[in-house]
Amino acid sequence: TQTRETLTMTSPSNRLLSPREVALEIFGSATRPKVQRVRMLIQRGDIEAKKLGGMYYVPKTEIDRLLSAEKN
């Protein structure tokens, strides 16, 4: 099985982030409501994510896409 350390030891552009890390990147905060909102956006398909071992992880490239779309 893949561990959290294995997931984050890839190149920075291929890194997978947890919903908490995504909340920090997008909202600047990882409060429970922000993390729940990220999970909801994943479930709706608004944020691309990969399910590994029952947990969702978001590719760093997806975060970069969301942040660049927000600026435009």
Side-chain angles (χ1 to χ4, degrees):
T1 62
Q2 291 183 323
T3 64
R4 176 92 172 94
E5 293 77 29
T6 303
L7 293 173
T8 59
M9 292 180 67
T10 60
S11 71
S13 63
N14 293 334
R15 184 167 178 242
L16 296 173
L17 290 84
S18 69
R20 182 181 183 281
E21 293 170 314
V22 172
L24 278 171
E25 290 276 334
I26 294 176
F27 304 119
S29 169
T31 61
R32 180 173 282 168
K34 300 292 186 193
V35 175
Q36 288 175 337
R37 182 161 183 198
V38 168
R39 288 188 180 119
M40 187 240 348
L41 291 169
I42 291 170
Q43 292 293 325
R44 285 191 351 198
D46 295 334
I47 296 178
E48 175 191 330
K50 300 175 187 310
K51 192 170 186 179
L52 301 170
M55 299 217 18
Y56 285 100
Y57 293 94
V58 179
K60 176 71 169 121
T61 53
E62 177 69 359
I63 301 307
D64 295 340
R65 182 191 69 79
L66 290 168
L67 293 175
S68 68
E70 184 178 282
K71 290 180 183 178
N72 294 331

